[in-house]
Amino acid sequence: NIKGIAYFDLGKSFSGNEEITSSIARKFPITLTLTVISLMIAIVIALPIGIISATRPNSFFDYTFMFIALIGLSIPNFWQGLIFILNFSIKLQWLPATFNPENWLSMIMPVIVLGTGLTASVARMTRSSTLEVINEDYMITARAKGLSKGTILMKHAVRNAIIPIITVIGLQFGGMLGGSAVTEKVFNISGIGSYIVDKQFIPDIPAIMGGVVYTAITISLVNVIIDILYAFFDPRIRSKMKQY
C-alpha cells in the first residue's frame, strides 16, 4: 500500500473498475482550487478587519465586526449554502445553483460558503493577537522614537502578531480541504470530498482510502509550508535555525 501511494498506484475501485488515482486526479484539483480561492479572499477581508478592530478596541466598529465574525463561526455550511441557493438562485436568479467549471459565476456561492468560517476565525485571531502585542514595551519605544502609526502597526505590531494568525490559517485550510464534502454536495461539485462521501454509500474501500490518504498528504504539506513561513516572518526563529 505504501509503495502504491508513493507511485500513485492505488489500484481499481470496486464500483466501475475505474483507476482510483485518475479519479482523484480529476476531482482533487476542483476542491483545491475552490479552497485556495476561499483562502485568499478570506485573508484579504479578515486581516484588515482584525487589525482595525485591535486598534479601536471596545468601539462600535470593534463590537460590530466581532459580532458578525461570531455569526460567521456559528453558521453551518449546509444551511448557509441552502439559504444562498434559495435566495440568489431560485428567487433572484442571479447565480447558478449548481457548480459548473466553465461558468465562473457558479464559483461565487461555494467560495463564500467555504470562506465564511475561515474569515471569521482569522479576523478574531488577528484582533486578539494584535491586541497582545500592541501594548508591549517595544511598541511604546517605537512611538517614543516618533515613528508614524502606520509604520508602528505594520512593521512592529503585525509582524510580531502574525505567527498565531498563520497557524490558524494553516489549520483552517486543512479543515476546509477535509470538510468541504458538505459544501460540495449542496452545490453539486464533483470534488474529492463529494467523491469520498459517494463512495461510502457503496462502500468502496479502496476509493475511500485513496481519497483520505491524499487529502491527509496535502494537509501535511500545508503544515510544512506553515512551519517554513514561521521562519520567513519571524527573524527570531531564523536565528535559532541558524544556530542548529
Side-chain angles (χ1 to χ4, degrees), residues 38-54:
S38 301
L39 177 68
M40 294 296 104
I41 294 175
I43 292 173
V44 169
I45 295 173
L47 288 181
I49 289 175
I51 293 169
I52 295 172
S53 295

Side-chain angles (χ1 to χ4, degrees), residues 21 23 45 64 66 72 78-79 93 109 113 115 117 138 142 145 158-159 165 169 173-175 182 194 196 207 224 231:
T21 304
S23 298
I45 295 173
T64 301
M66 287 305 102
F78 69 90
W79 183 83
Q93 297 183 355
M109 290 195 294
V113 171
Y138 56 83
K145 287 182 178 179
V158 175
R159 286 192 67 180
I165 300 169
I169 291 172
F173 181 79
V182 174
S194 180
I196 294 172
V224 171

Side-chain angles (χ1 to χ4, degrees), residues 99-112:
F99 177 75
N100 181 4
E102 298 179 358
N103 184 2
W104 67 271
L105 288 174
S106 66
M107 297 179 64
I108 294 176
M109 290 195 294
V111 164
I112 293 175

Side-chain angles (χ1 to χ4, degrees), residues 226-242:
I226 293 300
D227 288 340
I228 295 171
L229 286 176
Y230 288 161
F232 178 78
F233 283 103
D234 195 332
R236 295 169 296 184
I237 297 176
R238 285 202 301 272
S239 63
K240 288 182 180 179
M241 291 174 65
K242 290 178 181 178

Side-chain angles (χ1 to χ4, degrees), residues 56-226:
R56 302 176 182 177
N58 302 321
S59 64
F60 175 77
F61 181 91
D62 181 28
Y63 285 129
T64 301
F65 277 101
M66 287 305 102
F67 179 71
I68 294 172
L70 182 62
I71 294 175
L73 284 171
S74 305
I75 296 175
N77 282 358
F78 69 90
W79 183 83
Q80 185 183 6
L82 293 173
I83 293 297
F84 274 23
I85 291 172
L86 178 65
N87 286 281
F88 296 110
S89 297
I90 297 175
K91 289 186 177 180
L92 299 175
Q93 297 183 355
W94 288 353
L95 300 170
T98 57
F99 177 75
N100 181 4
E102 298 179 358
N103 184 2
W104 67 271
L105 288 174
S106 66
M107 297 179 64
I108 294 176
M109 290 195 294
V111 164
I112 293 175
V113 171
L114 274 176
T116 299
L118 176 63
T119 304
S121 298
V122 174
R124 287 170 64 87
M125 178 54 71
T126 302
R127 178 187 180 276
S128 61
S129 185
T130 305
L131 276 175
E132 285 182 8
V133 303
I134 208 165
N135 294 317
E136 293 287 343
D137 292 340
Y138 56 83
M139 296 291 292
I140 298 172
T141 303
R143 284 193 288 268
K145 287 182 178 179
L147 296 177
S148 64
K149 290 184 178 180
T151 302
I152 295 171
L153 188 64
M154 299 307 299
K155 192 173 181 180
H156 296 283
V158 175
R159 286 192 67 180
N160 285 281
I162 200 71
I163 297 299
I165 300 169
I166 294 174
T167 304
V168 168
I169 291 172
L171 292 173
Q172 289 291 324
F173 181 79
M176 288 166 67
L177 275 178
S180 62
V182 174
T183 304
E184 290 180 1
K185 296 301 289 184
V186 170
F187 292 101
N188 195 27
I189 301 171
S190 184
I192 189 66
S194 180
Y195 175 77
I196 294 172
V197 170
D198 290 339
K199 294 298 183 181
Q200 286 177 347
F201 290 105
I202 296 175
D204 196 336
I205 304 302
I208 297 170
M209 287 180 60
V212 170
V213 165
Y214 281 112
T215 302
I217 290 172
T218 306
I219 293 172
S220 300
L221 291 174
V222 169
N223 289 332
V224 171
I225 294 171
I226 293 300

